[in-house]
Amino acid sequence: MDATLKGLFLREGGKLVSQGLKFLVSRSTSRKTELTETTTETGSLIGPPSVTAAVQPQIIKPALPTSDETTVALKRRLAKELYKAELDLTSGMKIAGKPCDCLDHKHGLYLEAASEELVAQDPGNPVYQEIIDWLKVNHSKLTIEAIASGKYAGEYPVMANQFKQFRKIIMDSAADPQAVTLTLEDAKKLAAEEAVREVEKAWKSASNK
């Protein structure tokens, strides 16, 4: 092969190689552009599938009592406490012939607290303030010393009747009249407590003869 022909082959071969490289580079660039456009349109990326965040369980809050339901419950508690105090007053504020501090340190405190709460819960009923005022006026007559003196023995039955009237007003004013009525179990328990007092009183009386 002469020098002229050899030079021609080298020039033409170099052009073919150069064009082939340009073609490959062009196809690679075109492929990348297509992938980018596809990603932009679909909004997804090529790669492992995304992990969906765990769904948080919905927290269900328990239902709370309505204002009326709360008022009825408070009235029932107050009525029961008035009845207990009424029994103590009926028995002359004594257990087994001895003075008790039930209205001084127990029933009295609860009656005052429950009445104060109902003043705000049921402001249209004046009976709660009447109970609070009654306790303030008569507290000195319900101490152990006052009971032991016998000075107010004749007043206790009258006070018991006043408590009965308070209780009746509260029961009649309840949104649900049956809600403040003492249940059979409540009545049995209170009757049993009263029976114990009477037995102790009779036993004490017999022992002193």
PDB file of all heavy atoms in Angstrom, residues 149-173:
ATOM      1  N   SER A 149     -74.169  18.848 128.362  1.00  0.00           N
ATOM      2  CA  SER A 149     -74.825  19.739 129.332  1.00  0.00           C
ATOM      3  C   SER A 149     -76.330  19.505 129.399  1.00  0.00           C
ATOM      4  O   SER A 149     -76.972  19.810 130.416  1.00  0.00           O
ATOM      5  CB  SER A 149     -74.554  21.199 128.971  1.00  0.00           C
ATOM      6  OG  SER A 149     -75.251  21.568 127.787  1.00  0.00           O
ATOM      7  N   GLY A 150     -76.915  18.958 128.338  1.00  0.00           N
ATOM      8  CA  GLY A 150     -78.358  18.725 128.293  1.00  0.00           C
ATOM      9  C   GLY A 150     -79.165  19.979 128.070  1.00  0.00           C
ATOM     10  O   GLY A 150     -80.402  19.936 128.028  1.00  0.00           O
ATOM     11  N   LYS A 151     -78.499  21.097 127.882  1.00  0.00           N
ATOM     12  CA  LYS A 151     -79.174  22.387 127.741  1.00  0.00           C
ATOM     13  C   LYS A 151     -80.038  22.455 126.480  1.00  0.00           C
ATOM     14  O   LYS A 151     -81.086  23.107 126.473  1.00  0.00           O
ATOM     15  CB  LYS A 151     -78.125  23.494 127.731  1.00  0.00           C
ATOM     16  CG  LYS A 151     -78.697  24.896 127.644  1.00  0.00           C
ATOM     17  CD  LYS A 151     -77.575  25.932 127.691  1.00  0.00           C
ATOM     18  CE  LYS A 151     -78.116  27.344 127.598  1.00  0.00           C
ATOM     19  NZ  LYS A 151     -77.025  28.372 127.636  1.00  0.00           N
ATOM     20  N   TYR A 152     -79.601  21.772 125.413  1.00  0.00           N
ATOM     21  CA  TYR A 152     -80.323  21.884 124.146  1.00  0.00           C
ATOM     22  C   TYR A 152     -81.031  20.585 123.758  1.00  0.00           C
ATOM     23  O   TYR A 152     -81.432  20.407 122.605  1.00  0.00           O
ATOM     24  CB  TYR A 152     -79.339  22.263 123.029  1.00  0.00           C
ATOM     25  CG  TYR A 152     -78.537  23.496 123.346  1.00  0.00           C
ATOM     26  CD1 TYR A 152     -77.198  23.386 123.749  1.00  0.00           C
ATOM     27  CD2 TYR A 152     -79.103  24.763 123.282  1.00  0.00           C
ATOM     28  CE1 TYR A 152     -76.453  24.521 124.050  1.00  0.00           C
ATOM     29  CE2 TYR A 152     -78.358  25.898 123.578  1.00  0.00           C
ATOM     30  CZ  TYR A 152     -77.031  25.769 123.970  1.00  0.00           C
ATOM     31  OH  TYR A 152     -76.306  26.900 124.276  1.00  0.00           O
ATOM     32  N   ALA A 153     -81.196  19.676 124.701  1.00  0.00           N
ATOM     33  CA  ALA A 153     -81.816  18.376 124.409  1.00  0.00           C
ATOM     34  C   ALA A 153     -83.196  18.527 123.782  1.00  0.00           C
ATOM     35  O   ALA A 153     -83.571  17.772 122.879  1.00  0.00           O
ATOM     36  CB  ALA A 153     -81.902  17.544 125.684  1.00  0.00           C
ATOM     37  N   GLY A 154     -83.954  19.510 124.248  1.00  0.00           N
ATOM     38  CA  GLY A 154     -85.297  19.722 123.710  1.00  0.00           C
ATOM     39  C   GLY A 154     -85.291  20.294 122.308  1.00  0.00           C
ATOM     40  O   GLY A 154     -86.323  20.222 121.611  1.00  0.00           O
ATOM     41  N   GLU A 155     -84.163  20.882 121.875  1.00  0.00           N
ATOM     42  CA  GLU A 155     -84.097  21.493 120.546  1.00  0.00           C
ATOM     43  C   GLU A 155     -83.717  20.499 119.459  1.00  0.00           C
ATOM     44  O   GLU A 155     -84.010  20.730 118.273  1.00  0.00           O
ATOM     45  CB  GLU A 155     -83.087  22.652 120.548  1.00  0.00           C
ATOM     46  CG  GLU A 155     -83.498  23.823 121.423  1.00  0.00           C
ATOM     47  CD  GLU A 155     -82.553  25.011 121.246  1.00  0.00           C
ATOM     48  OE1 GLU A 155     -82.089  25.230 120.110  1.00  0.00           O
ATOM     49  OE2 GLU A 155     -82.275  25.695 122.237  1.00  0.00           O
ATOM     50  N   TYR A 156     -83.067  19.408 119.829  1.00  0.00           N
ATOM     51  CA  TYR A 156     -82.574  18.469 118.807  1.00  0.00           C
ATOM     52  C   TYR A 156     -83.705  17.861 117.965  1.00  0.00           C
ATOM     53  O   TYR A 156     -83.543  17.737 116.739  1.00  0.00           O
ATOM     54  CB  TYR A 156     -81.723  17.393 119.461  1.00  0.00           C
ATOM     55  CG  TYR A 156     -80.457  17.938 120.095  1.00  0.00           C
ATOM     56  CD1 TYR A 156     -79.921  17.385 121.253  1.00  0.00           C
ATOM     57  CD2 TYR A 156     -79.789  19.041 119.534  1.00  0.00           C
ATOM     58  CE1 TYR A 156     -78.753  17.890 121.832  1.00  0.00           C
ATOM     59  CE2 TYR A 156     -78.625  19.549 120.109  1.00  0.00           C
ATOM     60  CZ  TYR A 156     -78.122  18.973 121.261  1.00  0.00           C
ATOM     61  OH  TYR A 156     -76.981  19.487 121.835  1.00  0.00           O
ATOM     62  N   PRO A 157     -84.838  17.456 118.546  1.00  0.00           N
ATOM     63  CA  PRO A 157     -85.932  16.948 117.704  1.00  0.00           C
ATOM     64  C   PRO A 157     -86.440  18.007 116.720  1.00  0.00           C
ATOM     65  O   PRO A 157     -86.801  17.683 115.588  1.00  0.00           O
ATOM     66  CB  PRO A 157     -87.014  16.565 118.725  1.00  0.00           C
ATOM     67  CG  PRO A 157     -86.261  16.290 119.982  1.00  0.00           C
ATOM     68  CD  PRO A 157     -85.146  17.279 119.985  1.00  0.00           C
ATOM     69  N   VAL A 158     -86.456  19.262 117.157  1.00  0.00           N
ATOM     70  CA  VAL A 158     -86.879  20.354 116.263  1.00  0.00           C
ATOM     71  C   VAL A 158     -85.872  20.510 115.121  1.00  0.00           C
ATOM     72  O   VAL A 158     -86.243  20.693 113.962  1.00  0.00           O
ATOM     73  CB  VAL A 158     -86.996  21.678 117.048  1.00  0.00           C
ATOM     74  CG1 VAL A 158     -87.378  22.811 116.101  1.00  0.00           C
ATOM     75  CG2 VAL A 158     -88.025  21.541 118.166  1.00  0.00           C
ATOM     76  N   MET A 159     -84.588  20.422 115.453  1.00  0.00           N
ATOM     77  CA  MET A 159     -83.543  20.517 114.424  1.00  0.00           C
ATOM     78  C   MET A 159     -83.656  19.364 113.427  1.00  0.00           C
ATOM     79  O   MET A 159     -83.447  19.544 112.220  1.00  0.00           O
ATOM     80  CB  MET A 159     -82.162  20.495 115.082  1.00  0.00           C
ATOM     81  CG  MET A 159     -81.852  21.713 115.930  1.00  0.00           C
ATOM     82  SD  MET A 159     -80.204  21.563 116.697  1.00  0.00           S
ATOM     83  CE  MET A 159     -80.090  23.120 117.570  1.00  0.00           C
ATOM     84  N   ALA A 160     -83.992  18.169 113.944  1.00  0.00           N
ATOM     85  CA  ALA A 160     -84.159  17.014 113.064  1.00  0.00           C
ATOM     86  C   ALA A 160     -85.263  17.271 112.044  1.00  0.00           C
ATOM     87  O   ALA A 160     -85.125  16.930 110.861  1.00  0.00           O
ATOM     88  CB  ALA A 160     -84.474  15.766 113.884  1.00  0.00           C
ATOM     89  N   ASN A 161     -86.333  17.886 112.476  1.00  0.00           N
ATOM     90  CA  ASN A 161     -87.434  18.204 111.563  1.00  0.00           C
ATOM     91  C   ASN A 161     -87.000  19.265 110.537  1.00  0.00           C
ATOM     92  O   ASN A 161     -87.423  19.216 109.372  1.00  0.00           O
ATOM     93  CB  ASN A 161     -88.637  18.702 112.356  1.00  0.00           C
ATOM     94  CG  ASN A 161     -89.858  18.899 111.472  1.00  0.00           C
ATOM     95  OD1 ASN A 161     -90.351  17.957 110.842  1.00  0.00           O
ATOM     96  ND2 ASN A 161     -90.345  20.137 111.407  1.00  0.00           N
ATOM     97  N   GLN A 162     -86.173  20.212 110.957  1.00  0.00           N
ATOM     98  CA  GLN A 162     -85.665  21.219 110.019  1.00  0.00           C
ATOM     99  C   GLN A 162     -84.819  20.556 108.931  1.00  0.00           C
ATOM    100  O   GLN A 162     -84.911  20.912 107.750  1.00  0.00           O
ATOM    101  CB  GLN A 162     -84.849  22.265 110.774  1.00  0.00           C
ATOM    102  CG  GLN A 162     -85.690  23.159 111.675  1.00  0.00           C
ATOM    103  CD  GLN A 162     -84.838  24.079 112.541  1.00  0.00           C
ATOM    104  OE1 GLN A 162     -83.700  23.758 112.881  1.00  0.00           O
ATOM    105  NE2 GLN A 162     -85.401  25.237 112.900  1.00  0.00           N
ATOM    106  N   PHE A 163     -83.999  19.584 109.328  1.00  0.00           N
ATOM    107  CA  PHE A 163     -83.182  18.868 108.350  1.00  0.00           C
ATOM    108  C   PHE A 163     -84.064  18.068 107.389  1.00  0.00           C
ATOM    109  O   PHE A 163     -83.748  17.937 106.201  1.00  0.00           O
ATOM    110  CB  PHE A 163     -82.194  17.940 109.063  1.00  0.00           C
ATOM    111  CG  PHE A 163     -80.903  18.621 109.424  1.00  0.00           C
ATOM    112  CD1 PHE A 163     -80.879  19.947 109.822  1.00  0.00           C
ATOM    113  CD2 PHE A 163     -79.708  17.929 109.370  1.00  0.00           C
ATOM    114  CE1 PHE A 163     -79.696  20.582 110.148  1.00  0.00           C
ATOM    115  CE2 PHE A 163     -78.501  18.552 109.699  1.00  0.00           C
ATOM    116  CZ  PHE A 163     -78.505  19.885 110.096  1.00  0.00           C
ATOM    117  N   LYS A 164     -85.153  17.534 107.929  1.00  0.00           N
ATOM    118  CA  LYS A 164     -86.090  16.794 107.087  1.00  0.00           C
ATOM    119  C   LYS A 164     -86.679  17.708 106.018  1.00  0.00           C
ATOM    120  O   LYS A 164     -86.840  17.297 104.853  1.00  0.00           O
ATOM    121  CB  LYS A 164     -87.205  16.200 107.955  1.00  0.00           C
ATOM    122  CG  LYS A 164     -88.231  15.391 107.171  1.00  0.00           C
ATOM    123  CD  LYS A 164     -89.287  14.808 108.104  1.00  0.00           C
ATOM    124  CE  LYS A 164     -90.303  13.988 107.342  1.00  0.00           C
ATOM    125  NZ  LYS A 164     -91.330  13.412 108.260  1.00  0.00           N
ATOM    126  N   GLN A 165     -87.002  18.939 106.413  1.00  0.00           N
ATOM    127  CA  GLN A 165     -87.557  19.900 105.458  1.00  0.00           C
ATOM    128  C   GLN A 165     -86.515  20.299 104.415  1.00  0.00           C
ATOM    129  O   GLN A 165     -86.840  20.439 103.230  1.00  0.00           O
ATOM    130  CB  GLN A 165     -88.068  21.143 106.199  1.00  0.00           C
ATOM    131  CG  GLN A 165     -89.220  20.874 107.161  1.00  0.00           C
ATOM    132  CD  GLN A 165     -90.389  20.180 106.486  1.00  0.00           C
ATOM    133  OE1 GLN A 165     -90.827  20.570 105.396  1.00  0.00           O
ATOM    134  NE2 GLN A 165     -90.908  19.148 107.132  1.00  0.00           N
ATOM    135  N   PHE A 166     -85.275  20.487 104.837  1.00  0.00           N
ATOM    136  CA  PHE A 166     -84.195  20.782 103.887  1.00  0.00           C
ATOM    137  C   PHE A 166     -84.092  19.658 102.845  1.00  0.00           C
ATOM    138  O   PHE A 166     -83.990  19.903 101.642  1.00  0.00           O
ATOM    139  CB  PHE A 166     -82.854  20.913 104.615  1.00  0.00           C
ATOM    140  CG  PHE A 166     -82.694  22.174 105.417  1.00  0.00           C
ATOM    141  CD1 PHE A 166     -81.940  22.177 106.590  1.00  0.00           C
ATOM    142  CD2 PHE A 166     -83.285  23.367 105.020  1.00  0.00           C
ATOM    143  CE1 PHE A 166     -81.778  23.337 107.337  1.00  0.00           C
ATOM    144  CE2 PHE A 166     -83.129  24.532 105.758  1.00  0.00           C
ATOM    145  CZ  PHE A 166     -82.373  24.522 106.926  1.00  0.00           C
ATOM    146  N   ARG A 167     -84.126  18.446 103.349  1.00  0.00           N
ATOM    147  CA  ARG A 167     -83.975  17.284 102.466  1.00  0.00           C
ATOM    148  C   ARG A 167     -85.129  17.192 101.476  1.00  0.00           C
ATOM    149  O   ARG A 167     -84.927  16.887 100.294  1.00  0.00           O
ATOM    150  CB  ARG A 167     -83.884  16.007 103.320  1.00  0.00           C
ATOM    151  CG  ARG A 167     -83.720  14.735 102.526  1.00  0.00           C
ATOM    152  CD  ARG A 167     -83.231  13.594 103.416  1.00  0.00           C
ATOM    153  NE  ARG A 167     -84.052  13.418 104.600  1.00  0.00           N
ATOM    154  CZ  ARG A 167     -85.162  12.689 104.654  1.00  0.00           C
ATOM    155  NH1 ARG A 167     -85.582  12.073 103.547  1.00  0.00           N
ATOM    156  NH2 ARG A 167     -85.841  12.550 105.773  1.00  0.00           N
ATOM    157  N   LYS A 168     -86.334  17.475 101.944  1.00  0.00           N
ATOM    158  CA  LYS A 168     -87.513  17.415 101.071  1.00  0.00           C
ATOM    159  C   LYS A 168     -87.411  18.458  99.952  1.00  0.00           C
ATOM    160  O   LYS A 168     -87.731  18.181  98.794  1.00  0.00           O
ATOM    161  CB  LYS A 168     -88.780  17.641 101.888  1.00  0.00           C
ATOM    162  CG  LYS A 168     -90.070  17.467 101.099  1.00  0.00           C
ATOM    163  CD  LYS A 168     -91.269  17.616 102.002  1.00  0.00           C
ATOM    164  CE  LYS A 168     -92.575  17.338 101.242  1.00  0.00           C
ATOM    165  NZ  LYS A 168     -92.762  18.222 100.083  1.00  0.00           N
ATOM    166  N   ILE A 169     -86.964  19.668 100.305  1.00  0.00           N
ATOM    167  CA  ILE A 169     -86.818  20.727  99.296  1.00  0.00           C
ATOM    168  C   ILE A 169     -85.801  20.321  98.230  1.00  0.00           C
ATOM    169  O   ILE A 169     -86.022  20.518  97.025  1.00  0.00           O
ATOM    170  CB  ILE A 169     -86.387  22.045  99.960  1.00  0.00           C
ATOM    171  CG1 ILE A 169     -87.516  22.580 100.848  1.00  0.00           C
ATOM    172  CG2 ILE A 169     -86.013  23.094  98.908  1.00  0.00           C
ATOM    173  CD1 ILE A 169     -87.110  23.774 101.702  1.00  0.00           C
ATOM    174  N   ILE A 170     -84.702  19.754  98.670  1.00  0.00           N
ATOM    175  CA  ILE A 170     -83.648  19.338  97.729  1.00  0.00           C
ATOM    176  C   ILE A 170     -84.145  18.224  96.821  1.00  0.00           C
ATOM    177  O   ILE A 170     -83.913  18.232  95.605  1.00  0.00           O
ATOM    178  CB  ILE A 170     -82.394  18.884  98.499  1.00  0.00           C
ATOM    179  CG1 ILE A 170     -81.760  20.089  99.208  1.00  0.00           C
ATOM    180  CG2 ILE A 170     -81.392  18.230  97.566  1.00  0.00           C
ATOM    181  CD1 ILE A 170     -80.672  19.719 100.182  1.00  0.00           C
ATOM    182  N   MET A 171     -84.858  17.253  97.391  1.00  0.00           N
ATOM    183  CA  MET A 171     -85.377  16.146  96.590  1.00  0.00           C
ATOM    184  C   MET A 171     -86.403  16.628  95.578  1.00  0.00           C
ATOM    185  O   MET A 171     -86.408  16.207  94.417  1.00  0.00           O
ATOM    186  CB  MET A 171     -85.987  15.096  97.515  1.00  0.00           C
ATOM    187  CG  MET A 171     -84.966  14.359  98.375  1.00  0.00           C
ATOM    188  SD  MET A 171     -85.748  13.344  99.654  1.00  0.00           S
ATOM    189  CE  MET A 171     -86.593  12.122  98.659  1.00  0.00           C
ATOM    190  N   ASP A 172     -87.280  17.538  96.001  1.00  0.00           N
ATOM    191  CA  ASP A 172     -88.323  18.032  95.112  1.00  0.00           C
ATOM    192  C   ASP A 172     -87.772  18.903  93.993  1.00  0.00           C
ATOM    193  O   ASP A 172     -88.383  19.033  92.930  1.00  0.00           O
ATOM    194  CB  ASP A 172     -89.359  18.835  95.911  1.00  0.00           C
ATOM    195  CG  ASP A 172     -90.192  17.952  96.826  1.00  0.00           C
ATOM    196  OD1 ASP A 172     -90.179  16.721  96.626  1.00  0.00           O
ATOM    197  OD2 ASP A 172     -90.837  18.489  97.750  1.00  0.00           O
ATOM    198  N   SER A 173     -86.605  19.532  94.222  1.00  0.00           N
ATOM    199  CA  SER A 173     -86.045  20.442  93.228  1.00  0.00           C
ATOM    200  C   SER A 173     -85.099  19.770  92.250  1.00  0.00           C
ATOM    201  O   SER A 173     -84.586  20.399  91.333  1.00  0.00           O
ATOM    202  CB  SER A 173     -85.287  21.578  93.931  1.00  0.00           C
ATOM    203  OG  SER A 173     -84.119  21.078  94.566  1.00  0.00           O
TER     204      SER A 173
END
